[in-house]
């Protein structure tokens, strides 16, 4: 039974790591493409992976792509702010991409303010922005 439990925990760890990957695009720019709903567990993995991979890759910019996130609620928005704040503390600027109209509407209705966070409706726009900042 103990061997079975170890295998399950190992598999869960692998799933968690792969569910929120940090992908290095250039020497100083990385992307985290989020897919599916974000709960508190996945938000914690997002925080850990963003900090660990951002530091490992020595990134200057990290794009968090929300294109495949179906809904943003107050908990998800709060977690995103925490991730952005933590990354800024270690010197990584963050851009949010994939802000669709329904997510924008929901965030406005919830009173979420993204004052200091640069946002784009597409990953393409975010990549152009971060690339132009690197030159």
């Amino acid at each position: 039974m103990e061997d079975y439990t170890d295998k399950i925990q190992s598999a869960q760890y692998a799933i968690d790591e792969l569910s929120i990957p940090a992908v290095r695009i250039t020497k100083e720019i990385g992307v985290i493409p989020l897919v599916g709903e974000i709960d508190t567990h996945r938000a914690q993995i997002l925080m850990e992976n963003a900090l660990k991979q951002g530091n490992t890759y020595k990134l200057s910019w990290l794009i968090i792509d929300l294109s495949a996130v179906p809904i943003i609620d107050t908990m998800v928005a709060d977690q995103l702010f925490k991730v952005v704040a933590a990354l800024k503390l270690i010197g990584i600027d963050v851009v949010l991409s994939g802000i669709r109209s329904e997510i924008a509407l929901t965030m406005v209705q919830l009173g979420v303010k993204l004052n200091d966070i640069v946002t784009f409706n597409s990953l393409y726009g975010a990549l152009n922005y971060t690339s132009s900042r690197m030159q």
Side-chain angles (χ1 to χ4, degrees), residues 51-122:
L51 290 169
K52 183 173 80 176
Q53 296 300 322
N55 211 20
T56 299
Y57 294 149
K58 297 183 180 6
L59 298 176
S60 297
W61 291 91
L62 187 62
I63 301 167
I64 299 175
D65 185 53
L66 304 170
S67 298
V69 175
I71 189 162
I72 299 280
D73 60 17
T74 52
M75 186 279 302
V76 173
D78 183 55
Q79 290 298 322
L80 285 174
F81 288 128
K82 288 177 181 176
V83 170
V84 169
L87 288 166
K88 284 186 178 187
L89 285 172
I90 63 169
I92 300 174
D93 290 311
V94 179
V95 175
L96 296 180
S97 69
I99 307 290
R100 298 184 319 276
S101 57
E102 58 271 13
I103 288 180
L105 179 62
T106 301
M107 291 177 92
V108 168
Q109 289 172 341
L110 291 171
V112 175
K113 296 186 183 350
L114 300 173
N115 296 340
D116 297 331
I117 303 174
V118 178
T119 62
F120 290 90
N121 65 346
S122 69

Side-chain angles (χ1 to χ4, degrees), residues 17-18 20 27 52 68-69 72 79 102 104 126 131 133-135:
E17 286 295 309
L18 295 173
I20 303 181
K27 183 178 178 184
K52 183 173 80 176
V69 175
I72 299 280
Q79 290 298 322
E102 58 271 13
S131 294
R133 294 293 185 169
M134 296 308 303
Q135 298 171 0

